[in-house]
Amino acid sequence: MLMPVLFRMKVIPLILLLAVVFAFLLNWPVLLHFYNILTHLEHVKIGFVISIPFVLVAALNFVFMPFSIRFLLKPFFALLLITGSMVSYSTLKYKVMFDQSMIQNIIETNPQEAHSYLNGSIILWILLTGVLPAILLFLIKIEYPSKWYKGIAYRLLSMLASLALVAGVAALYYQDYASVGRNNSTLNKEIIPANYVYSTVRYLKDTYFTTKEPFQTLGDDAIRVANKEKPTLMFLVIGETARSQNFSMNGYSRDTNAFTSQSGGVISFANVHSCGTATAVSVPCMFSNMNRTDYDSNKAANSEGLLDVVQKTGVSLLWKENDGGCKGACKRIPTIEIKPTDNPKLCDGETCYDDVMLENLDTEVAKMAGDKLIAFHMIGSHGPTYFQRYPAEHRHYMPECARSDIENCTQDQLVNTYDNTIRHTDHVLAQMIEKLKQYSDRYNTVLLYVSDHGESLGENGLYLHGTPYKLAPEQQTHIPMQVWMSPGFIAEKHIDMTCLKNNAAKNQYSHDNLFSSVLGLWDISTSVYHPESDIFRGCRS
C-alpha cells in the first residue's frame, strides 16, 4: 500500500531541513548547555554566540548528505529521529551521556528494567519529537535530480557550502570555540545523533567484530587450608545503586542503617570507590583480577574471575540473582535466577523485593557441601522507580516520589524515596546477618556487602548513573561497603576488629581491593593474590 503524499520537496533542501530539525529540536539540550556555559563567561563575542546554531546545522548537513540516497533516506532518518528523540529526552531530563559504556548498559538492560523508565512524559516526548516527524518524512514526495551526476554534483555543492560556512566561522571565532571545547570536554559527546551512533558502532565493533582474546584460566595454582574446627559460610552481597553518603554509618544525618546498627559488630568502610558508574562495568570489573585503570571488558569476558578461583579450592558456591544478570561474574557458578512470577508475596510480576533472596535459603545451604559461599545480587536502589524497591511497611520517609519521571518530583520526595531503598537494603542485610548467627554453631560465618556504583539525585542537574568515570560526580562513584563476622570467624582468622574498624574509617579502598580481600579471607594461596590489596591482611595476627 502506497503512503499518501502530503507535499513535495527536493532532496537537498530536505536534508537541510532535517539538519535544522536535529539542531534546534533534538539537540536542544546541547544548545542549552552551550549557552549556559556562555552565561558564566566574563567576555563573550555576540558573533560567536549567534554562530553556534549555524555551525551545528552546517555540520549536520555535511554529515547527513551522504545518506540522502533514494530508498535509504526515509527509513534511515526515520530511525534517527525516533532514537534521537529518546536520547534527547534522557539528555535533557537526566543529563545522561551516551558513550560506549552507556550503550552497553542499554543493550544489556532486561525488559523489566527498561519498562521502569517508561512514563507519560517520555512517551509524549518521543511521539511529538520523534514519531511525528518520522511520519511526516514518509508523507513527503522527495524529488531527486533527473541525472545521477547532477545528484552527486548538487550534494557535493551542499557539502562544500557547509564546509565553507564552518571554515568562515572558524576563521573568525576559532579561539572562542577552542577555549569552550577545552574547558567543556563533554560537549562533543552530547551532539545528537553523532554521540550515540558513534558509541553504538564502537560497542558493536568491540563486542562482535573484534577478535576475542583466548580464554584465560586464573589461579590454577590456588590452594587453601580448610578450617579445622568448623567450615566457613560466607554471604557476599553485591548491592545496586547505593551511594555511601546516604548511609548513616558513614555520617548521614538520617538513620538509614537502623537495622544493621542493631545487629552488633557491623563495620562500615567510609571511603570506598567503584570501578565503574554502571552495573555492566562495575560487576565484571570487581570480580576480575584487574584494577579500574587497566580494566578491559573484552579480557574480563574471556577470563575466569574471583569466584572461579575460590571454587577451585573446594568451596561450594551459589549465586542468587535479583537484578537481571551477573554480567558474566557467575558464568561458571551454580546460579538461581529469581523469577518475579514465582513469588507473588514479594514480587509484582516484573521485579522482586530483595527479601525474596532469603526464601528457601536454609534448603539451599543444606544442599551445598563443606565450606560455602553464597553471592547475592540485589536490586537494591535501582532507579528510576525507587518506590518499587521496598514494601509498604518500609515507607519510612514521606512523602515519597511514586513515579518514574523523577525529575518531576520535589527534591525532598526524591531523597525520601531513595533513602527508603537504602533503609530497606539495610533491613535485608540485617536479616542475612541474623540468618548467619543462626548458623554460627555449625559454621564460622561472615557477610561482606559492597555496592556496584552510586547514584545522582538531581545534584548539578544529574540523575541516575552511568556518567563517564572521569566526569562522574562523587555521588556515582563513592559507594558503601560493610562487613560482619561471627566470633568464631574472627577467632579462626585472628582478626583485630579494633584495627579493622580504624582502617575502615580512615583508609581509602575501592573495588580493586575485593579480589584479593576475598581470597585472603578464605586463606587462599595463589599467584594472583596480591597481599597489598587485601583489606583484612593488615589486621590479622
Side-chain angles (χ1 to χ4, degrees):
M1 181 179 175
L2 295 175
M3 292 283 289
V5 175
L6 187 64
F7 53 87
R8 299 173 182 272
M9 197 167 188
K10 294 183 183 297
V11 64
I12 305 303
L14 176 60
I15 294 300
L16 180 59
L17 176 62
L18 284 168
V20 170
V21 169
F22 271 87
F24 287 95
L25 184 62
L26 299 186
N27 275 293
W28 186 243
V30 76
L31 290 177
L32 285 177
H33 187 191
F34 217 122
Y35 286 112
N36 182 56
I37 292 167
L38 299 184
T39 58
H40 291 85
L41 297 180
E42 202 169 321
H43 302 290
V44 180
K45 298 172 184 173
I46 187 65
F48 169 54
V49 174
I50 295 172
S51 74
I52 292 168
F54 288 96
V55 169
L56 183 56
V57 169
L60 289 170
N61 183 71
F62 181 86
V63 172
F64 286 173
M65 197 58 68
F67 300 96
S68 61
I69 304 168
R70 194 190 303 260
F71 306 121
L72 172 66
L73 190 155
K74 286 186 177 182
F76 177 77
F77 283 102
L79 179 62
L80 284 188
L81 284 164
I82 294 170
T83 55
S85 174
M86 298 175 185
V87 171
S88 177
Y89 181 90
S90 300
T91 305
L92 183 64
K93 295 293 185 178
Y94 303 131
K95 301 294 188 292
V96 173
M97 287 187 198
F98 285 80
D99 63 349
Q100 190 173 345
S101 295
M102 182 56 66
I103 298 301
Q104 180 182 1
N105 298 335
I106 293 168
I107 290 174
E108 295 185 10
T109 295
N110 60 44
Q112 289 79 16
E113 282 187 44
H115 183 263
S116 69
Y117 290 89
L118 287 178
N119 55 67
S121 297
I122 189 172
I123 291 172
L124 185 61
W125 179 277
I126 293 170
L127 287 174
L128 293 178
T129 66
V131 175
L132 180 60
I135 292 172
L136 291 175
L137 177 61
F138 275 102
L139 296 178
I140 295 173
K141 173 67 175 176
I142 304 174
E143 298 179 351
Y144 294 89
S146 57
K147 303 293 184 181
W148 65 267
Y149 54 84
K150 285 185 178 180
I152 293 175
Y154 293 156
R155 288 175 174 87
L156 287 175
L157 284 172
S158 179
M159 293 173 74
L160 286 172
S162 296
L163 279 180
L165 190 151
V166 172
V169 171
L172 294 171
Y173 305 112
Y174 173 77
Q175 292 295 337
D176 301 272
Y177 277 98
S179 175
V180 171
R182 279 195 302 268
N183 294 318
N184 301 275
S185 58
T186 66
L187 279 171
N188 64 334
K189 297 178 181 178
E190 298 173 29
I191 298 173
I192 298 169
N195 56 352
Y196 70 91
V197 171
Y198 173 74
S199 298
T200 300
V201 170
R202 278 196 61 191
Y203 171 77
L204 294 175
K205 174 181 175 292
D206 291 348
T207 305
Y208 300 107
F209 300 100
T210 299
T211 303
K212 293 188 180 296
E213 295 197 14
F215 187 81
Q216 298 288 325
T217 60
L218 204 64
D220 291 331
D221 60 343
I223 57 172
R224 176 179 59 91
V225 178
N227 294 338
K228 297 175 182 178
E229 296 183 3
K230 293 180 185 176
T232 294
L233 173 60
M234 171 184 275
F235 286 175
L236 178 58
V237 188
I238 309 304
E240 170 66 49
T241 320
R243 61 188 206 178
S244 179
Q245 73 179 62
N246 289 64
F247 269 54
S248 55
M249 283 190 180
N250 294 340
Y252 190 46
S253 58
R254 284 178 163 176
D255 191 14
T256 51
N257 297 127
F259 302 99
T260 57
S261 61
Q262 296 176 19
S263 297
V266 174
I267 292 177
S268 186
F269 293 77
N271 303 298
V272 184
H273 285 79
S274 64
C275 184
T277 60
T279 307
V281 175
S282 282
V283 170
C285 180
M286 74 168 82
F287 281 94
S288 78
N289 66 327
M290 292 175 276
N291 292 332
R292 184 186 68 80
T293 52
D294 61 6
Y295 175 69
D296 183 321
S297 59
N298 188 32
K299 185 176 178 181
N302 292 282
S303 174
E304 292 180 333
L306 169 62
L307 299 182
D308 297 287
V309 179
V310 175
Q311 189 167 240
K312 288 178 182 181
T313 66
V315 178
S316 295
L317 278 88
L318 175 65
W319 182 286
K320 296 195 73 171
E321 178 60 52
N322 191 38
D323 194 32
C326 67
K327 313 305 179 186
C330 63
K331 199 170 184 179
R332 292 159 295 276
I333 306 301
T335 301
I336 295 174
E337 291 264 1
I338 294 170
K339 297 178 181 177
T341 55
D342 290 350
N343 193 320
K345 184 179 73 171
L346 295 172
C347 310
D348 62 5
E350 293 187 357
T351 59
C352 299
Y353 304 130
D354 283 319
D355 311 68
V356 76
M357 292 192 291
L358 291 155
E359 298 284 292
N360 305 315
L361 191 53
D362 290 327
T363 302
E364 290 153 4
V365 170
K367 288 180 179 178
M368 301 166 72
D371 294 300
K372 304 166 185 180
L373 187 159
I374 301 179
F376 302 86
H377 192 193
M378 308 178 98
I379 197 168
S381 303
H382 198 296
T385 51
Y386 306 114
F387 68 99
Q388 294 179 344
R389 304 294 167 246
Y390 50 88
E393 60 268 25
H394 283 270
R395 288 175 181 156
H396 186 74
Y397 302 109
M398 296 294 285
E400 64 181 354
C401 175
R403 54 196 298 173
S404 61
D405 52 340
I406 54 177
E407 73 280 2
N408 291 320
C409 291
T410 67
Q411 186 67 14
D412 285 345
Q413 289 172 330
L414 183 56
V415 172
N416 285 345
T417 313
Y418 183 81
D419 284 348
N420 284 339
T421 69
I422 297 296
R423 196 171 185 273
H424 182 248
T425 291
D426 189 72
H427 171 71
V428 174
L429 291 175
Q431 286 182 292
M432 290 180 175
I433 291 171
E434 291 307 309
K435 178 63 67 177
L436 288 173
K437 287 179 179 179
Q438 294 170 19
Y439 280 104
S440 292
D441 60 332
R442 289 162 283 167
Y443 297 88
N444 292 324
T445 57
V446 56
L447 179 144
L448 178 61
Y449 163 82
V450 60
S451 184
D452 59 351
H453 55 78
E455 186 86 325
S456 287
L457 298 176
E459 298 89 359
N460 300 314
L462 281 174
Y463 292 89
L464 305 175
H465 53 267
T467 303
Y469 201 93
K470 65 180 181 179
L471 304 171
E474 186 80 354
Q475 289 87 356
Q476 292 188 31
T477 61
H478 188 192
I479 55 170
M481 184 169 77
Q482 295 177 320
V483 67
W484 174 89
M485 301 173 178
S486 69
F489 186 89
I490 294 168
E492 178 72 32
K493 304 298 179 181
H494 305 288
I495 296 175
D496 182 339
M497 296 301 283
T498 301
C499 166
L500 188 60
K501 192 171 184 178
N502 289 337
N503 286 353
K506 66 182 182 181
N507 290 354
Q508 297 277 346
Y509 299 112
S510 74
H511 279 159
D512 295 350
N513 296 100
L514 183 70
F515 188 91
S516 289
S517 296
V518 172
L519 293 182
L521 285 177
W522 282 102
D523 293 321
I524 294 174
S525 174
T526 171
S527 57
V528 293
Y529 167 75
H530 299 291
E532 69 279 4
S533 296
D534 184 349
I535 292 172
F536 306 100
R537 182 173 180 269
C539 295
R540 296 180 64 179
S541 58

